Every structure is written in C-alpha cells, then in structure tokens.
Amino acid sequence: MATVLVTGVNRGIGLEFCRQYAEAGWKVLACCRRPAQASDLEGLAIHYPAISIHQLELGNFGQIDALAHALASEAIDVLINNAGVYGDGARNVPGDIDYELWTQVMRINALAPVKMTEAFLPHIARGGRKLVVAITSLMGSMGDNSSGGAIMYRSSKAALNAAMKSLSIDLGSRGIGVLILHPGWVKTDMGGTNAPTSPAESVAGLRRVIDGFSPRDSGHFLDFRGRELPW
C-alpha cells in the first residue's frame, strides 16, 4: 500500500486529498492543527480506516521533528505540503503593514514546507515514489503579477517556489523529485465562493500530475492541468 502524508487537511483541498487518496487505496497520514475541531476529517477517517490523523502545528518546528520521530517506521511515497495561510487583509497596505504577521505567514507558507521536507527525508527516501509536492499559488509568480496587493501571501509563495526549485536540484541526486503545483482558483475558505474550480476537480487534476510525474518534471511550476506557469 502506497503512503501519502498531507498537511492542512481539516478542510478544502487538504481534506479532498485525503478523500481521494483513501478512495484510491492509499494509506493517508493526515496532519492538521486542531484534530478535535476537524469533524469532517474525523468522519472521513471513520469511513476510511487507512486514514490516520496527526496533530501538527506547522509553525512549531519542534513538533515537526517530533512527528517525524513518531512516524520513523513509515515509508512515505508522496509528501504533500498543502497547509498555508493568507495573512493579507484590508489594512495590509503600504504605510500600515503588520510585519509580525508577515513573518508568521512566511514561516508557515515558505519555511515550514522546507522543514517538513528536511524532517521527513528518511521516510521519503524509503518510499517507492520518492516525491515532495508543494501546493503553491500563481500569486507567487512575479511574471504574472500585474495587480499588486497581497504582499504577504505573494512573497511567501514566491519564496516557497524558490526554495522548492533549489530542493529539486539538491535532492535530485538522491532520486527524490519535487513538484511545485498551483491548484487553480478553488472554492475554499481562502478562495471564496466565486472561484470557478471545486476542490474535487482541483485535487483530481493535481493527482493526475502527481501520478504522471517523471524526473524531467522536478522543479517545474505547474498548474493542476499540468501546464507550466511563469515564475
């Protein structure tokens, strides 16, 4: 049985990843901040016993190390760094930027996925697929930015993209691949109700890209349809 570890699974894209991978017969290591408040995830785990729920606060790197130690016997085929925060609000404009919040957004969106990859490298190296996935955003593209705004979110995703591009090179010699994936504009709490893409459609597309991975894809910035995006 193949194994996937997914972060940020209490709702939206993360929850849908758990659903689809469990339906496909995978073992799912589902990580979220507050499992006791994740009722949809708990219901999914009851229906699919191959889903195990693990408490993880991504901003606490000690917890990441502790979870990696607790799961030391696991071989992980695919690590999906899905969790993220937006941070930006109406007040986050030049002259009124909350730098403490910006630091936290960077920690969750950019640093934590790298820390997860580092902590779980031994597990991934033992897996059959040996693949790290970063769920990013086209909003992290500097080439696509024509509207400005969202400085915290944009900069954190740009940093994530750069870090994962480097990791794709650094880990290539170990046979570990890295995918940098944009899920589209998705109907989630972050994406809003006007988004054109459902979580089910987005995740189905992301899984097709993941399933079709080859080493030549490592380090490329792709959307959920497999199209290459501008940096």
Side-chain angles (χ1 to χ4, degrees):
M1 179 185 294
T3 299
V4 60
L5 187 152
V6 191
T7 64
V9 298
N10 57 312
R11 61 182 182 270
I13 293 171
L15 183 66
E16 188 62 27
F17 266 125
C18 292
R19 185 191 320 278
Q20 292 195 23
Y21 272 113
E23 286 177 352
W26 285 54
K27 182 177 183 179
V28 180
L29 306 174
C31 302
C32 65
R33 290 174 61 195
R34 300 186 181 96
Q37 298 177 18
S39 57
D40 290 341
L41 178 61
E42 288 182 350
L44 200 61
I46 291 171
H47 188 70
Y48 295 105
I51 297 176
S52 59
I53 302 173
H54 305 271
Q55 194 277 329
L56 180 62
E57 170 55 69
L58 281 172
N60 184 334
F61 289 1
Q63 282 193 19
I64 293 176
D65 285 331
L67 181 61
H69 179 75
L71 298 175
S73 63
E74 298 283 356
I76 296 175
D77 291 86
V78 181
L79 167 64
I80 301 179
N81 292 293
N82 167 71
V85 294
Y86 190 67
D88 292 281
R91 294 184 57 201
N92 186 43
V93 295
D96 194 16
I97 294 174
D98 184 337
Y99 287 92
E100 185 174 344
L101 176 59
W102 192 357
T103 299
Q104 183 65 9
V105 171
M106 292 292 290
R107 185 173 181 84
I108 298 299
N109 290 359
L111 277 65
V114 175
K115 177 61 180 175
M116 286 289 296
T117 303
E118 183 181 43
F120 284 92
L121 267 182
H123 312 65
I124 298 163
R126 293 197 303 273
R129 305 204 180 189
K130 297 179 173 60
L131 185 58
V132 176
V133 176
I135 302 301
T136 184
S137 172
L138 185 58
M139 289 183 71
S141 167
M142 287 178 278
D144 185 71
N145 184 1
S146 60
S147 62
I151 190 170
M152 295 181 186
Y153 189 70
R154 287 185 186 280
S155 62
S156 69
K157 290 300 187 179
L160 172 63
N161 293 354
M164 288 295 163
K165 175 63 178 179
S166 283
L167 284 178
S168 73
I169 298 168
D170 297 339
L171 299 179
S173 62
R174 306 191 202 185
I176 296 173
V178 177
L179 276 174
I180 306 163
L181 300 181
H182 169 53
W185 183 15
V186 185
K187 288 185 177 73
T188 62
D189 288 351
M190 186 183 295
T193 57
N194 292 327
T197 307
S198 70
E201 180 186 359
S202 173
V203 170
L206 292 167
R207 287 185 57 231
R208 282 192 293 272
V209 176
I210 292 169
D211 289 346
F213 173 81
S214 70
R216 67 176 178 272
D217 301 320
S218 193
H220 286 250
F221 184 16
L222 308 172
D223 73 3
F224 71 108
R225 294 186 176 94
R227 300 175 301 195
E228 191 139 13
L229 300 174
W231 294 108

